[in-house]
Amino acid sequence: MSKSVYRLSSIARPLEAKYPTNRAVLIALPIIGLALGAYAYVSAGGGAVNAVITGLEGMLVSFLVWALGREADPDRNLTAFASAGLILYALVMGLPVAVWTLAFALMATRTVNRTVGQPAKPGDLVMVLILAGFSVFAEGYALMGLVAAIAIAIDVQLDRSRTLALIAALIALSFTVWQLITLEGDFAALLWPETASPTLMAIIGSLVVIGLASALLCPKPDSVCDARGEPLSRARVRGGRVILALTLLVGMAEGNAPAHDLYPIGCVLLVTFIVGLLPRRAARAAD
């Protein structure tokens, strides 16, 4: 099945049950959905519809965070599972998540990482642009178009045969430019809102620095690409971590609530850094 998917997309990574970690995820996700839905039904009193929506959203967010952990640290499953485990408490508490932006971060990172092993296909770039558009226009992260453009530019920088992909980068950048036009050129409103909490911004800034540090310290990956079996590129894994850090950084521009809604990305960056400090043997033994 996976090979047929890879003919259509270079950033889709289906969960194949033949791998133990994937089986664990396939088992855990329905349990998480049922548990969160039941908790919402009993505690929130929003009825069955709200319980179903809460359960499905919890499953989606858990999967996206796990998948982001796999992209940020392809060699260690511990990073993915620890990241997903840490956000469960936040999901139980009902903390909101910028789901579209989370999905965008995953696909933009995969575009850079090339964990499948193939360059992003035109349909993949369209998907990244659509997700970036939802992040910018639906969730209000005005600078996310810039992040999408940077992700595509990094991919092209590491593979000069992909220069036509820069057209997609320009389209993504136009999303941010449009938002700037809407703000009538008010760079201050775009870069530092009056509602920003210094404490929250300091925390997020620290996580961004941690993410950039993890990119700098990223060792040469042992993992191989899904489709081709070739070793992953260290430069690309580093670039993927930079994209995650930039996604969190530009979230700061929108004030307290939008910045806080990106906490799953901050969680992934923090766990990636901590697990990266462990000896490889110790980290893999915990997988």
Side-chain angles (χ1 to χ4, degrees):
M1 174 185 173
S2 60
K3 291 184 179 180
S4 61
V5 171
Y6 297 150
R7 284 196 291 269
L8 299 173
S9 173
S10 297
I11 59 176
R13 302 184 71 190
L15 280 173
E16 296 186 75
K18 66 180 181 180
Y19 299 109
T21 52
N22 287 0
R23 285 200 300 272
V25 173
L26 289 170
I27 293 171
L29 288 178
I31 296 174
I32 291 172
L34 289 172
L36 290 175
Y39 180 80
Y41 184 80
V42 172
S43 63
V49 174
N50 178 66
V52 171
I53 293 174
T54 300
L56 291 175
E57 183 178 7
M59 289 175 59
L60 177 59
V61 171
S62 299
F63 170 74
L64 290 174
V65 172
W66 176 83
L68 273 176
R70 294 291 294 124
E71 296 299 324
D73 192 358
D75 285 346
R76 303 177 177 95
N77 288 307
L78 174 61
T79 301
F81 283 101
S83 299
L86 283 176
I87 67 154
L88 287 179
Y89 175 75
L91 292 176
V92 169
M93 296 302 294
L95 298 181
V97 177
V99 178
W100 287 114
T101 303
L102 197 58
F104 158 74
L106 175 61
M107 294 308 176
T109 302
R110 284 182 178 174
T111 300
V112 175
N113 281 10
R114 290 195 186 178
T115 38
V116 169
Q118 303 166 340
K121 293 178 169 55
D124 296 327
L125 294 177
V126 170
M127 181 187 302
V128 171
L129 290 176
I130 290 173
L131 292 172
F134 274 107
S135 177
V136 172
F137 300 114
E139 293 183 333
Y141 296 98
L143 292 174
M144 215 56 73
L146 175 61
V147 176
I150 292 173
I152 296 170
I154 291 175
D155 179 50
V156 172
Q157 172 65 27
L158 296 173
D159 182 359
R160 296 300 180 88
S161 67
R162 299 278 297 162
T163 52
L164 284 177
L166 291 176
I167 297 174
L170 291 175
I171 295 173
L173 186 60
S174 71
F175 297 163
T176 294
V177 172
W178 177 260
Q179 290 300 86
L180 181 59
I181 292 173
T182 302
L183 291 171
E184 298 180 349
D186 188 354
F187 283 95
L190 189 67
L191 298 176
W192 191 261
E194 296 180 359
T195 58
S197 163
T199 302
L200 179 61
M201 296 302 114
I203 293 173
I204 295 175
S206 299
L207 290 172
V208 171
V209 171
I210 287 173
L212 294 175
S214 73
L216 182 64
L217 299 173
C218 176
K220 183 179 179 180
D222 293 331
S223 300
V224 298
C225 303
D226 295 346
R228 298 179 177 177
E230 299 172 352
L232 291 176
S233 164
R234 182 187 187 189
R236 287 190 172 278
V237 174
R238 279 179 163 178
R241 293 183 181 186
V242 169
I243 291 302
L244 289 179
L246 289 178
T247 301
L248 188 61
L249 177 64
V250 303
M252 296 170 62
E254 304 304 330
N256 296 339
H260 185 272
D261 290 353
L262 295 179
Y263 66 85
I265 296 177
C267 177
V268 170
L269 291 174
L270 179 60
V271 173
T272 300
F273 179 77
I274 293 174
V275 174
L277 297 178
L278 301 175
R280 287 203 175 191
R281 289 183 179 179
R284 285 172 179 166
D287 286 350

